[in-house]
Amino acid sequence: MEISQDIVLRPRFFKDLDMPSEEALKAFEQKGKICQNFKVSRIDHHVFIRIPKKEQHFWSPQLHLEIYDVGENKPTLKGLFGPSPTVWTLFMFLHFIVVVLFVVAGIWLYVNLSLDEPIIFPIVSMISLFITWFVLYFAGRLGREAGKKEMLSLYKFMDNTLKA
């Protein structure tokens, strides 16, 4: 599997399956019961494959699979790699805070321009928030890079489970 160099922080993939969707879901359930290297959980037609807690680091990825029927006996697997939901929520919250503060600084700049007040502080704050946004983005890219080996092992586990 090739992980693209696009801007995407949470890589996705699609795969057509040669077995019925319920059979594939059961294969993951059964493999998860005997596998020690990964934690597998299933909710309806969603499967979550995670690294065990003792081997996880901050950027450890998880693989979320959704197996559904497109047409008559044509199941499709949709996969999404990403950090743990807690890390992702924190990451998105920080992005949201930076954007809100950037908008507030923009309003501050507009008000100061309208009142002929000094504009250096609003401009400095907007530039620093823009730099902060880039730092957050590159931290996400570095995190994805740190979990690349684990992503490949998660994908290999998924592939082996479907071939068995």
Side-chain angles (χ1 to χ4, degrees):
M1 179 190 91
E2 181 64 32
I3 298 173
S4 69
Q5 294 300 316
D6 295 337
I7 293 180
V8 178
L9 289 177
R10 294 176 52 183
R12 302 171 191 276
F13 62 92
F14 297 89
K15 186 173 188 165
D16 292 326
L17 300 178
D18 297 331
M19 63 176 76
S21 59
E22 195 56 40
E23 187 179 318
L25 290 166
K26 287 199 186 309
F28 281 109
E29 264 186 87
Q30 295 184 351
K31 187 93 174 219
K33 289 177 185 174
I34 59 172
C35 182
Q36 299 297 315
N37 298 331
F38 300 101
K39 173 103 172 85
V40 179
S41 57
R42 175 188 170 192
I43 301 170
D44 294 330
H45 57 276
H46 296 269
V47 176
F48 298 91
I49 307 171
R50 297 176 180 90
I51 307 293
K53 287 271 187 214
K54 63 183 184 293
E55 298 173 22
Q56 283 184 4
H57 54 82
F58 185 74
W59 291 107
S60 284
Q62 72 173 17
L63 177 56
H64 171 210
L65 303 173
E66 183 179 358
I67 300 172
Y68 56 94
D69 293 315
V70 175
E72 193 136 333
N73 293 331
K74 282 196 92 142
T76 298
L77 179 140
K78 181 170 66 171
L80 171 67
F81 287 103
S84 75
T86 308
V87 171
W88 187 250
T89 302
L90 171 69
F91 201 63
M92 289 298 103
F93 177 73
L94 292 174
H95 275 276
F96 177 74
I97 293 297
V98 168
V99 166
V100 168
L101 289 175
F102 187 83
V103 170
V104 168
I107 293 169
W108 185 24
L109 174 67
Y110 175 74
V111 168
N112 281 3
L113 278 171
S114 298
L115 298 175
D116 290 328
E117 295 288 323
I119 60 171
I120 189 73
F121 293 118
I123 288 177
V124 167
S125 63
M126 289 180 79
I127 290 171
S128 64
L129 287 166
F130 190 71
I131 291 169
T132 302
W133 180 79
F134 268 108
V135 167
L136 285 172
Y137 173 75
F138 285 113
R141 292 286 290 207
L142 290 173
R144 186 181 88 171
E145 198 63 36
K148 196 175 221 178
K149 191 167 49 169
E150 292 171 327
M151 287 170 67
L152 293 173
S153 65
L154 287 167
Y155 187 85
K156 195 179 294 183
F157 173 78
M158 177 212 65
D159 215 29
N160 290 339
T161 302
L162 291 173
K163 288 179 182 174

